[in-house]
Amino acid sequence: MTVVLLVVMGAVLIGYARGGSLATLSHLSLPGWPLVFLALAAQGLGALVAATSSLAPRAAYVAGLLVSAVLVTAFMVRNRHLRGVPLIAAGFVLNAAVVAANGAMPVSLWAARHAGIETAGLVAGTDVRHEVATDATRLRLLADVIPVPTPVDRARSVVSAGDVVLAAGIGVLVTNAMVRPGVGRRAQRLAAGT
């Protein structure tokens, strides 16, 4: 989440530098946007069932994640014409693949320590959404292996390649949605020079 927030803030600054505005961003049309809320609900329900059930908690979490991935994919397909959306979709697919392959998101203890994150809960196995990445982890390169150390404790995290790709897609979407076609700084300079 930290990476996404930092990317969005950077994207807004780049959008302004390109002559864009938040007003233009507010006119962004995203057909099928309720699918995103349904996807979040499916993921939340899967996590809730996993946390409160003693019967196959990981299966409930993975099922919620897969339903969420299908809904998000449907949303992405409807909005594939927007710059950045294919990257967002790719990030979701990468994350869903590693979770489906392992039953939870594997987290590198090395990366967690380098980010300054407490690992006792992860090692104890009390989080059904995450597990310790080991040599047996499938698709380990796609797991949470990238440390994000920050001066703020709550902002520290470990992210996956999928998170990075997803954040990049959100950045591209926001930056481009802030600028109307032909209204960037270059177009303004050209118009001023004529």
Side-chain angles (χ1 to χ4, degrees), residues 58 109 118-128 130-132:
R58 291 236 168 142
L109 289 177
E118 174 58 46
T119 59
L122 179 64
V123 173
T126 57
D127 182 354
V128 296
H130 299 93
E131 67 182 18
V132 175

Side-chain angles (χ1 to χ4, degrees), residues 22-40:
L22 291 177
T24 303
L25 176 63
S26 70
H27 292 105
L28 177 64
S29 175
L30 296 170
W33 62 265
L35 292 170
V36 173
F37 291 105
L38 290 173
L40 290 172

Side-chain angles (χ1 to χ4, degrees), residues 2-18 167 170-172 174-176 178:
T2 301
V3 172
V4 171
L5 291 175
L6 291 172
V7 167
V8 168
M9 289 188 303
V12 168
L13 293 175
I14 292 169
Y16 276 124
R18 292 180 58 204
I170 290 172
V172 170
V174 168
T175 299
N176 285 293
M178 286 180 67

Side-chain angles (χ1 to χ4, degrees), residues 39-113:
L40 290 172
Q43 200 171 91
L45 182 61
L48 178 65
V49 169
T52 58
S53 172
S54 58
L55 300 172
R58 291 236 168 142
Y61 173 65
V62 171
L65 184 69
L66 292 177
V67 169
S68 175
V70 169
L71 292 167
V72 167
T73 300
F75 170 76
M76 297 296 173
V77 167
R78 293 189 68 181
N79 292 283
R80 66 188 175 279
H81 62 283
L82 297 171
R83 288 184 184 173
V85 167
L87 281 175
I88 296 169
F92 274 113
V93 168
L94 292 174
N95 283 340
V98 71
V99 170
N102 294 285
M105 176 58 85
V107 179
S108 161
L109 289 177
W110 175 89
R113 289 184 187 118

